[in-house]
Amino acid sequence: MTGQEFAIGAVVGERRAQDRKWGEQNHGPLVWLAVLSEEVGEASEAILKNDPDAFRAEMIQVAAVALAIVECADRHMLDHGTHAMVRWWRDAGDRMA
């Protein structure tokens, strides 16, 4: 197994854990950015604490949240058509779903 395959496996595993814990998440872009920023903040905190294991774990969460954002956007586009992506972007930015 390559390092990339190992890392991707960890991200996919984290995405599955997120889905088990929270179910399908359908936030708008601003909420997603807040969630992603919180995870990046936790990764930054791990750096400040000189904790490489925590940093890796947080970066896996960062990647998993980024993947969840793409999944949400794609789901919206597939459910509502290509032009609906603009509506999701414009109207759902600050809505919790």
Side-chain angles (χ1 to χ4, degrees):
M1 176 180 292
T2 67
Q4 185 179 57
E5 291 167 337
F6 187 74
I8 289 171
V11 172
V12 169
E14 175 60 25
R15 275 295 299 119
R16 289 179 181 151
Q18 290 170 353
D19 280 347
R20 282 192 303 274
K21 183 173 183 177
W22 304 108
E24 183 179 284
Q25 298 293 295
N26 290 297
H27 305 302
L30 291 178
V31 172
W32 275 123
L33 184 58
V35 173
L36 184 63
S37 296
E38 188 266 340
E39 295 299 342
V40 170
E42 290 179 356
S44 299
E45 186 177 329
I47 290 172
L48 293 173
K49 291 181 177 179
N50 196 26
D51 187 341
D53 292 331
F55 176 71
R56 182 183 185 279
E58 293 301 335
M59 291 310 298
I60 289 168
Q61 291 180 13
V62 167
V65 169
L67 180 57
I69 294 167
V70 173
E71 290 172 9
C72 177
D74 287 354
R75 202 168 35 249
H76 191 81
M77 185 177 62
L78 291 171
D79 288 349
H80 305 290
T82 304
H83 297 293
M85 180 66 74
V86 174
R87 193 173 332 112
W88 173 77
W89 181 262
R90 184 189 65 224
D91 296 340
D94 59 353
R95 152 178 84 74
M96 294 289 288

